[in-house]
Amino acid sequence: MTVFENVSLQGNGETTASSNSTPSQEECFGLPTQVIIALHVFTLFASLMGNSLLITAFVRMKEKVILVIANMAASDLLVVIFLLPRFIVAEALRSNVFLIHGGGGTFLCKVCSFFSDMSLSVSTLSLVVIAVERFLAVVYPLLYMKTSGKRRRLLVASTWILAAAFHLPYFYTFRLVREVDNQGYDYHVCQSSWEPAFNDQSARRRYNIFLYTTVLIMPLLVISVLHITVAFHLRKDKMSSCRSENGTRRIRRRTRTFLMMAISTTTAFLICWMLHIVLTSIRLISPWLVSECNKGYQTVSYISYVLASCYCAVNPWLCLLLIPQFQNELKLMMQ
């Protein structure tokens, strides 16, 4: 799975990273280029500012409990660095041509595709870690109190290790491919192919199903179950008898704040990604149902593409707006 595997600037249903379309190919349909570029530029700066503020505030506060949130911000920065600039350049040129050639171009093709997609895995796995922490804090508070900073850092490191392991095949599949257009001009595209070791079509389909299951579907199911369980147990504070009334009130308020943040970020993830997930699932399961040069399909496809690319900017600002600790630290930073 490339993050935007079935979205094409040319409207032919191929991926931005792995399109076989030529620069001169006629477009089926597309949103105005200026609109898409403006949205990507706004997303880039909003994400860069929001995630940088989030990480800076975390470093200043040094609160271990929000380490996972800072981890999500770090993963979102990968999208800003490795993906959004490529989208802006590709939209400006109206082409999927890879501008850097040779060994350096091949290296960037592999690395940019790997890190941009790995960031999504880190984000979803971080949401799972946050949900597990909230679950333990509410349902098993004694066990949660025993969670050390070392264990939390190990969990954060595991999100990157697992995400990297899921996407290691990218270093084999992604490569620069030379193409020739109708006028005889040659150019290069960053393309994914499982050949010659495997059958490209079947291997691509199985790998995409694996990624969508492990990176999106399973984490979202786990998160949903844990959040529902926490919501049912939120009013039952098992440690209330060991705390003062003010302490109990403070713990409950803090738990509700983090739970609201977790639910909001998960909801934002669903809003930004659900349409893309549905369209990709249809393409994987029943590709014959998709009419590539259909105006309605292309409109929905572009909307899903833009929504998904906006998630890296939505997530940090939600955290900054919903978590009082970040708000207080931002006020101190501006003084």
Side-chain angles (χ1 to χ4, degrees):
M1 172 189 76
T2 52
V3 172
F4 301 99
E5 176 161 9
N6 295 290
V7 176
S8 172
L9 298 169
Q10 306 296 339
N12 64 349
E14 297 295 332
T15 168
T16 298
S18 57
S19 173
N20 291 320
S21 61
T22 67
S24 61
Q25 185 175 1
E26 294 183 0
E27 298 179 13
C28 297
F29 176 76
L31 295 180
T33 301
Q34 296 83 352
V35 174
I36 300 297
I37 292 176
L39 286 172
H40 285 325
V41 171
F42 175 80
T43 300
L44 189 150
F45 283 104
S47 178
L48 186 62
M49 181 180 297
N51 288 301
S52 298
L53 286 174
L54 208 60
I55 294 173
T56 302
F58 163 74
V59 172
R60 286 169 58 93
M61 289 187 294
K62 297 180 180 179
E63 276 203 49
K64 298 176 182 178
V65 73
I66 58 176
L67 173 62
V68 185
I69 300 173
N71 184 58
M72 290 178 61
S75 70
D76 288 337
L77 282 177
L78 292 181
V79 177
V80 178
I81 297 170
F82 291 103
L83 193 64
L84 289 179
R86 293 173 61 197
F87 281 176
I88 295 170
V89 172
E91 284 289 349
L93 297 176
R94 298 302 295 168
S95 167
N96 293 322
V97 171
F98 208 79
L99 301 179
I100 303 175
H101 304 160
T106 300
F107 174 77
L108 286 176
C109 169
K110 294 177 182 292
V111 169
C112 289
S113 302
F114 174 78
F115 280 111
S116 60
D117 279 16
M118 188 183 76
S119 67
L120 173 62
S121 300
V122 174
S123 292
T124 55
L125 291 173
S126 296
L127 288 174
V128 172
V129 173
I130 292 173
V132 170
E133 284 199 338
R134 291 303 93 201
F135 172 79
L136 292 176
V138 174
V139 182
Y140 299 104
L142 291 176
L143 181 61
Y144 175 73
M145 291 176 65
K146 295 179 181 179
T147 304
S148 63
K150 183 178 180 180
R151 290 180 180 177
R152 188 173 280 111
R153 289 191 295 271
L154 183 62
L155 283 174
V156 167
S158 69
T159 63
W160 291 88
I161 295 171
L162 281 175
F166 291 158
H167 294 87
L168 274 180
Y170 278 35
F171 287 101
Y172 169 75
T173 60
F174 276 91
R175 63 201 69 172
L176 284 185
V177 177
R178 181 176 175 273
E179 301 282 352
V180 179
D181 64 13
N182 296 331
Q183 284 74 40
Y185 295 103
D186 64 338
Y187 60 96
H188 291 80
V189 293
C190 180
Q191 181 172 310
S192 173
S193 175
W194 287 83
E195 295 178 348
F198 307 93
N199 177 273
D200 181 59
Q201 185 174 357
S202 61
R204 183 195 300 271
R205 184 173 181 272
R206 292 171 184 172
Y207 182 58
N208 285 347
I209 291 174
F210 164 77
L211 281 184
Y212 269 87
T213 302
T214 55
V215 173
L216 293 173
I217 297 174
M218 288 181 62
L220 289 175
L221 287 176
V222 172
I223 291 167
S224 300
V225 171
L226 291 176
H227 283 170
I228 292 172
T229 305
V230 169
F232 277 115
H233 286 79
L234 191 57
R235 295 182 180 180
K236 301 176 181 179
D237 188 355
K238 297 180 180 181
M239 297 292 293
S240 59
S241 60
C242 303
R243 305 191 194 98
S244 64
E245 184 178 346
N246 289 335
T248 299
R249 195 160 42 241
R250 185 175 61 255
I251 292 295
R252 288 180 178 178
R253 184 168 59 249
R254 186 176 186 179
T255 299
R256 287 193 182 96
T257 298
F258 276 92
L259 180 61
M260 182 174 67
M261 183 278 302
I263 293 175
S264 299
T265 53
T266 304
T267 302
F269 182 89
L270 289 173
I271 293 173
C272 292
W273 280 97
M274 185 53 67
L275 187 58
H276 179 77
I277 293 171
V278 170
L279 289 179
T280 304
S281 299
I282 293 174
R283 296 186 190 104
L284 288 173
I285 299 172
S286 305
W288 57 87
L289 295 178
V290 177
S291 176
E292 299 295 352
C293 281
N294 177 275
K295 183 176 180 179
Y297 164 76
Q298 287 296 325
T299 301
V300 174
S301 183
Y302 261 81
I303 291 173
S304 71
Y305 154 62
V306 173
L307 281 175
S309 66
C310 287
Y311 177 70
C312 63
V314 173
N315 191 47
W317 288 105
L318 274 177
C319 295
L320 290 170
L321 292 173
L322 293 177
I323 301 179
Q325 291 95 320
F326 282 125
Q327 298 173 16
N328 296 333
E329 189 61 35
L330 288 178
K331 291 178 183 178
L332 293 174
M333 290 167 60
M334 290 185 293
Q335 289 178 356

